[in-house]
Amino acid sequence: MTAAILTSAAFEDPDQVLVRQAAAGDVKAFQRLFEQHHRRVYGLVLRLAGDVDTAQDLTQDVFIQLWNNLRSFRGESKFSTWLHTVATRVAITELRKHRRWFRALSFSDDDGYQQSLVHEDSADLGELDSLIRRLPPQTRWVFVLHCLEGMRHEDIARELGIAVGTSKAQVHRARSLLEGWLSHDSE
């Protein structure tokens, strides 16, 4: 009986309160949203972009888009889910715009260039991030979205404008490349 008395507000995503406040112009509420979510957004766009400077710019772009579009958040899903979608779309859109530039920056199989990153996590994650950055752009995007962010192939295909089979093939390619690089490094 007590459960029936509880309102839906008791189960509301706490971010939604901040979203409503920020959408009404409360800058402090938006700042709290930023503080709670910027690391995850940065991690996602860093893995998609493969470049620290680009990831910082894209993270800023995501939160600018977020500020401009907060009123469009309907609350039908968790805010973090919606933010993930916004971050993915902003990152992929910008990466596509600059694809030619990213080809020059991307790592090929034979390219020895490596960029070092300081990670708060373990050295293993740093090594994995370094190897992920070596993947070709579309392969990296699909791998990050599917394997690290848990998106379904159907959603990735729709988001990137590719076939579901292409998404699956890119994940297979990424895993093969990563396994090869890992086994080569361990020799």
Side-chain angles (χ1 to χ4, degrees), residues 151-164:
M151 283 181 71
R152 298 175 354 173
H153 286 292
E154 294 80 6
D155 297 331
I156 294 168
R158 185 173 40 258
E159 193 66 41
L160 297 180
I162 60 176
V164 172

Side-chain angles (χ1 to χ4, degrees), residues 8-180:
S8 63
F11 299 106
E12 185 176 31
D13 179 0
D15 286 335
Q16 289 188 15
V17 173
L18 291 173
V19 170
R20 281 195 299 275
Q21 292 170 342
D26 185 341
V27 176
K28 288 184 180 183
F30 185 76
Q31 183 177 359
R32 285 193 299 267
L33 285 170
F34 173 81
E35 290 167 356
Q36 291 174 7
H37 296 282
H38 81 279
R39 284 187 177 171
R40 182 159 190 251
V41 169
Y42 176 76
L44 169 64
V45 297
L46 175 62
R47 287 185 174 107
L48 290 172
D51 174 72
V52 173
D53 293 331
T54 303
Q56 290 171 343
D57 291 343
L58 288 174
T59 301
Q60 183 176 359
D61 290 347
V62 167
F63 282 95
I64 290 169
Q65 288 290 327
L66 182 65
W67 175 255
N68 292 331
N69 294 300
L70 274 175
R71 290 190 175 126
S72 68
F73 178 63
R74 297 183 304 248
E76 295 171 357
S77 64
K78 286 182 66 174
F79 172 74
S80 59
T81 302
W82 184 73
L83 176 58
H84 182 274
T85 301
V86 170
T88 301
R89 287 185 179 155
V90 167
I92 296 298
T93 299
E94 288 303 311
L95 292 170
R96 280 186 176 147
K97 284 181 187 177
H98 303 293
R99 192 172 207 157
R100 186 175 308 132
W101 183 77
F102 275 97
R103 280 195 184 122
L105 184 70
S106 295
F107 307 109
S108 67
D109 293 350
D110 300 321
D111 197 344
Y113 176 76
Q114 291 192 9
Q115 181 177 357
S116 63
L117 279 178
V118 177
H119 290 277
E120 296 175 14
D121 300 332
S122 69
D124 292 336
L125 287 179
E127 180 182 0
L128 178 61
D129 279 344
S130 177
L131 293 175
I132 289 170
R133 284 192 312 275
R134 290 176 60 187
L135 293 169
Q138 186 176 26
T139 304
R140 180 176 57 239
W141 301 347
V142 173
F143 178 80
V144 168
L145 293 175
H146 181 71
C147 297
L148 302 180
E149 297 297 323
M151 283 181 71
R152 298 175 354 173
H153 286 292
E154 294 80 6
D155 297 331
I156 294 168
R158 185 173 40 258
E159 193 66 41
L160 297 180
I162 60 176
V164 172
T166 302
S167 178
K168 291 177 181 180
Q170 292 292 348
V171 168
H172 177 74
R173 179 178 185 209
R175 286 181 176 154
S176 295
L177 287 169
L178 292 170
E179 287 172 7

